Structure formats: structure tokens, C-alpha cells
Amino acid sequence: MMDLFGTAVLPGLSTEDDLVTPEEERALIAAIDAMDLSPFRFQGWEGKRLTASFGWTYDFDAGRLSQGEPLPAWLRPFRDRAARFAGLPVGALVQALLIRYGPGAGIGWHKDRPVFNQVVGLSLGAAAVMRFRRRRGAGFERANLPLEPRGAYHLSGEARHDWEHSIAEMNRPRWSVTFRSLADQTS
Ligand SMILES: O=C(O)CCC(=O)C(=O)O
Ligand SMILES: [Fe+2]
């Protein structure tokens, strides 16, 4: 499951360096920061991450999918680029989640909600490591994926459905844009 450098090589996980240019990265960060971001809330808990979501959105408080605001125009070319990288039909990625991780913020172990299927993420700002784990016997099998700024990752199949992922707290700000397809659309 690991290559010689300890990099995650999981079935269903692929990456692309430099999905966006440094200029596009700066513009995306400015656009995300200009949005009305709110602290991520899960069943009454507030996280240190600031988020905004567009398109089909999972409402954690209500526990169901609802249709939110459409993707802003500035985000659509990147959604299309993300779909091409992932080999998905343009238009399959019907959800976009913008996240700003302030210093000291990360994301705990989870699998993305089962209402969604494929996940394509774009990393901006500080480099980070996405950790993967799945239960094996009494312990966990583990893998790490370095997330370089401007790079993209695609979670599908086993990496998406069998493994949990998390991102350790970072000292410097990181932004991510994750796009998702719906579970009953593409496999
Ligand atoms: O910030 C990221 O790249 C990952 C975010 C994530 O795992 C999620 O929103 O489900
Ligand atoms: Fe996730």
C-alpha cells in the first residue's frame, strides 16, 4: 500500500500536480476569503475550519441533502478542470465545498457522507498531509498522501469508500476546494 517513500498508493486514489497556476492559486484564495465563510458546524459543535458550500449540500444539522446556491462563476472553470482530471463527465461534480483552515485547524478522521460519491480536492496555501486509515484486525492499516499546494487529488473506489481520511492540524493557513458527485449518479 506504500511506495518506497511512504506515499499513499491506494486503489482509487490519484493525484495531479499543478492543477492550477500560482496566479490562479492567489486569485482562488482571495475569492474564498471574500466569501461569507462560516465555522463548520456538526451537530452543534463548531470546528476551527471556515466553510462555504455550493450546489447540492449536505446539511449536517438537518442530516439531509439540500440544494444550495449554484456554484459561483469564478469556481466553474476549476470544477470543469477537476472533472477532466478525474475522468468524470463535466457536470458530475454537483457540490463544491470551500474550506479555510486557520492556524491550528485540521480535519478529524472521517469518510465523506454516503450521499456523495467521488471526491476531487484542490489544495491551496500551506502543504499538508492527508492521512488514511482502515481497520485491520485489532489495529489500523495506514497510508499518507502529501498534499502540495496547487495539486489535486481524486478519491474514488476503495480509497473513497473503505478508508477514512484526516488532515493533521497545520501551523500555516491552508485552503481547499473539494468537488463531489452524488452517490446515485456516477460510479
Ligand atoms: O481539505 C481537504 O482537502 C479535505 C477536506 C475533507 O476531507 C472534507 O471536506 O471532507
Ligand atoms: Fe473528507
Side-chain angles (χ1 to χ4, degrees):
M1 282 302 158
M2 305 277 214
D3 70 14
L4 281 175
F5 306 100
T7 302
V9 186
L10 302 180
L13 172 62
S14 60
T15 59
E16 173 128 316
D17 292 342
D18 299 317
L19 192 81
V20 300
T21 66
E23 293 74 17
E24 288 171 330
E25 179 186 33
R26 278 192 290 276
L28 278 164
I29 288 172
I32 295 170
D33 282 349
M35 305 296 305
D36 186 19
L37 301 173
S38 43
F40 174 80
R41 296 182 67 233
F42 177 61
Q43 293 171 355
W45 289 88
E46 281 201 2
K48 289 186 212 165
R49 303 189 297 284
L50 298 178
T51 67
S53 74
F54 297 94
W56 285 97
T57 294
Y58 189 81
D59 181 335
F60 279 86
D61 283 333
R64 61 180 157 71
L65 204 58
S66 64
Q67 190 148 29
E69 282 178 43
L71 266 65
W74 57 265
L75 197 51
R76 280 183 223 142
F78 299 99
R79 189 265 311 265
D80 295 351
R81 215 181 282 179
R84 274 199 300 280
F85 148 60
L88 296 170
V90 172
L93 297 174
V94 294
Q95 197 231 14
L97 178 66
L98 312 179
I99 307 182
R100 181 184 198 282
Y101 295 83
I107 189 165
W109 288 110
H110 69 282
K111 285 181 189 171
D112 286 22
R113 306 301 307 183
V115 291
F116 298 114
N117 186 12
Q118 316 241 349
V119 183
V120 186
L122 171 61
S123 283
L124 309 166
V129 176
M130 183 171 270
R131 305 173 297 192
F132 289 85
R133 72 174 188 190
R134 73 171 166 183
R135 209 165 265 292
R136 271 295 172 267
F140 286 101
E141 198 177 347
R142 293 174 184 275
N144 285 334
L145 175 70
L147 298 176
E148 295 298 330
R150 300 180 294 285
Y153 59 86
H154 177 205
L155 300 181
S156 65
E158 192 178 290
R160 158 72 178 91
H161 295 288
D162 297 350
W163 295 72
E164 294 179 294
H165 56 274
S166 68
I167 296 175
E169 292 166 14
M170 292 154 283
N171 300 326
R172 292 190 298 125
R174 173 178 177 267
W175 293 257
S176 71
V177 180
T178 48
F179 299 102
R180 293 178 182 76
S181 67
L182 291 182
D184 57 4
Q185 288 199 335
T186 51
S187 54

mmCIF file of all heavy atoms in Angstrom, residues 107 110-112 119 130 153 155 165 178 180, ligand 2:
data_model
loop_
_atom_site.group_PDB
_atom_site.id
_atom_site.type_symbol
_atom_site.label_atom_id
_atom_site.label_comp_id
_atom_site.label_asym_id
_atom_site.label_seq_id
_atom_site.Cartn_x
_atom_site.Cartn_y
_atom_site.Cartn_z
ATOM 1 N N ILE A 107 -8.668 18.476 10.109
ATOM 2 C CA ILE A 107 -9.958 17.782 9.984
ATOM 3 C C ILE A 107 -9.761 16.366 10.512
ATOM 4 O O ILE A 107 -8.777 15.706 10.186
ATOM 5 C CB ILE A 107 -10.488 17.846 8.522
ATOM 6 C CG1 ILE A 107 -11.921 17.318 8.432
ATOM 7 C CG2 ILE A 107 -9.590 17.121 7.538
ATOM 8 C CD1 ILE A 107 -12.622 17.682 7.115
ATOM 9 N N HIS A 110 -12.626 10.729 9.183
ATOM 10 C CA HIS A 110 -13.992 10.576 8.675
ATOM 11 C C HIS A 110 -13.957 9.945 7.287
ATOM 12 O O HIS A 110 -12.927 9.914 6.624
ATOM 13 C CB HIS A 110 -14.680 11.951 8.570
ATOM 14 C CG HIS A 110 -14.093 12.807 7.487
ATOM 15 N ND1 HIS A 110 -12.898 13.487 7.624
ATOM 16 C CD2 HIS A 110 -14.509 13.049 6.214
ATOM 17 C CE1 HIS A 110 -12.620 14.121 6.503
ATOM 18 N NE2 HIS A 110 -13.576 13.865 5.631
ATOM 19 N N LYS A 111 -15.119 9.455 6.887
ATOM 20 C CA LYS A 111 -15.394 9.197 5.467
ATOM 21 C C LYS A 111 -16.406 10.243 5.054
ATOM 22 O O LYS A 111 -17.278 10.609 5.851
ATOM 23 C CB LYS A 111 -16.025 7.814 5.277
ATOM 24 C CG LYS A 111 -15.056 6.663 5.422
ATOM 25 C CD LYS A 111 -15.803 5.343 5.196
ATOM 26 C CE LYS A 111 -14.925 4.169 5.558
ATOM 27 N NZ LYS A 111 -15.703 2.902 5.545
ATOM 28 N N ASP A 112 -16.333 10.706 3.814
ATOM 29 C CA ASP A 112 -17.310 11.688 3.360
ATOM 30 C C ASP A 112 -18.702 11.048 3.357
ATOM 31 O O ASP A 112 -18.837 9.837 3.279
ATOM 32 C CB ASP A 112 -16.939 12.212 1.967
ATOM 33 C CG ASP A 112 -15.744 13.174 2.030
ATOM 34 O OD1 ASP A 112 -14.969 13.117 3.008
ATOM 35 O OD2 ASP A 112 -15.596 13.969 1.098
ATOM 36 N N VAL A 119 -14.868 12.237 -4.933
ATOM 37 C CA VAL A 119 -14.383 13.469 -4.309
ATOM 38 C C VAL A 119 -13.120 13.913 -5.051
ATOM 39 O O VAL A 119 -12.193 13.122 -5.212
ATOM 40 C CB VAL A 119 -14.033 13.248 -2.823
ATOM 41 C CG1 VAL A 119 -13.597 14.560 -2.173
ATOM 42 C CG2 VAL A 119 -15.201 12.619 -2.072
ATOM 43 N N MET A 130 -2.500 14.320 3.919
ATOM 44 C CA MET A 130 -3.764 13.624 4.151
ATOM 45 C C MET A 130 -3.421 12.215 4.621
ATOM 46 O O MET A 130 -2.675 11.494 3.959
ATOM 47 C CB MET A 130 -4.615 13.587 2.880
ATOM 48 C CG MET A 130 -5.978 12.931 3.102
ATOM 49 S SD MET A 130 -7.082 13.135 1.674
ATOM 50 C CE MET A 130 -7.894 14.668 2.094
ATOM 51 N N TYR A 153 -6.321 15.962 -5.831
ATOM 52 C CA TYR A 153 -6.414 14.524 -5.559
ATOM 53 C C TYR A 153 -7.825 14.062 -5.884
ATOM 54 O O TYR A 153 -8.775 14.847 -5.851
ATOM 55 C CB TYR A 153 -6.055 14.209 -4.091
ATOM 56 C CG TYR A 153 -6.936 14.892 -3.072
ATOM 57 C CD1 TYR A 153 -8.134 14.322 -2.663
ATOM 58 C CD2 TYR A 153 -6.585 16.122 -2.538
ATOM 59 C CE1 TYR A 153 -8.959 14.952 -1.751
ATOM 60 C CE2 TYR A 153 -7.404 16.763 -1.615
ATOM 61 C CZ TYR A 153 -8.582 16.178 -1.219
ATOM 62 O OH TYR A 153 -9.411 16.806 -0.323
ATOM 63 N N LEU A 155 -10.491 10.939 -4.952
ATOM 64 C CA LEU A 155 -10.832 9.782 -4.116
ATOM 65 C C LEU A 155 -12.013 9.073 -4.736
ATOM 66 O O LEU A 155 -13.090 9.657 -4.887
ATOM 67 C CB LEU A 155 -11.241 10.215 -2.704
ATOM 68 C CG LEU A 155 -10.233 10.978 -1.845
ATOM 69 C CD1 LEU A 155 -10.852 11.286 -0.486
ATOM 70 C CD2 LEU A 155 -8.969 10.169 -1.692
ATOM 71 N N HIS A 165 -10.141 9.294 6.128
ATOM 72 C CA HIS A 165 -9.037 10.243 5.936
ATOM 73 C C HIS A 165 -9.134 11.367 6.956
ATOM 74 O O HIS A 165 -10.190 11.619 7.537
ATOM 75 C CB HIS A 165 -9.000 10.773 4.500
ATOM 76 C CG HIS A 165 -10.268 11.421 4.031
ATOM 77 N ND1 HIS A 165 -11.314 10.703 3.486
ATOM 78 C CD2 HIS A 165 -10.671 12.705 4.037
ATOM 79 C CE1 HIS A 165 -12.291 11.534 3.171
ATOM 80 N NE2 HIS A 165 -11.934 12.762 3.500
ATOM 81 N N THR A 178 -13.171 21.276 -2.475
ATOM 82 C CA THR A 178 -13.483 19.887 -2.803
ATOM 83 C C THR A 178 -14.789 19.849 -3.590
ATOM 84 O O THR A 178 -15.759 20.521 -3.237
ATOM 85 C CB THR A 178 -13.580 18.987 -1.554
ATOM 86 O OG1 THR A 178 -14.391 19.612 -0.574
ATOM 87 C CG2 THR A 178 -12.196 18.714 -0.973
ATOM 88 N N ARG A 180 -17.716 17.240 -5.317
ATOM 89 C CA ARG A 180 -18.257 15.885 -5.122
ATOM 90 C C ARG A 180 -19.355 15.584 -6.135
ATOM 91 O O ARG A 180 -20.124 16.475 -6.507
ATOM 92 C CB ARG A 180 -18.822 15.735 -3.704
ATOM 93 C CG ARG A 180 -17.749 15.788 -2.633
ATOM 94 C CD ARG A 180 -18.297 15.689 -1.210
ATOM 95 N NE ARG A 180 -17.195 15.810 -0.253
ATOM 96 C CZ ARG A 180 -16.594 16.953 0.050
ATOM 97 N NH1 ARG A 180 -17.008 18.070 -0.472
ATOM 98 N NH2 ARG A 180 -15.565 16.957 0.883
HETATM 99 FE FE FE B 2 -13.316 14.269 3.554
#
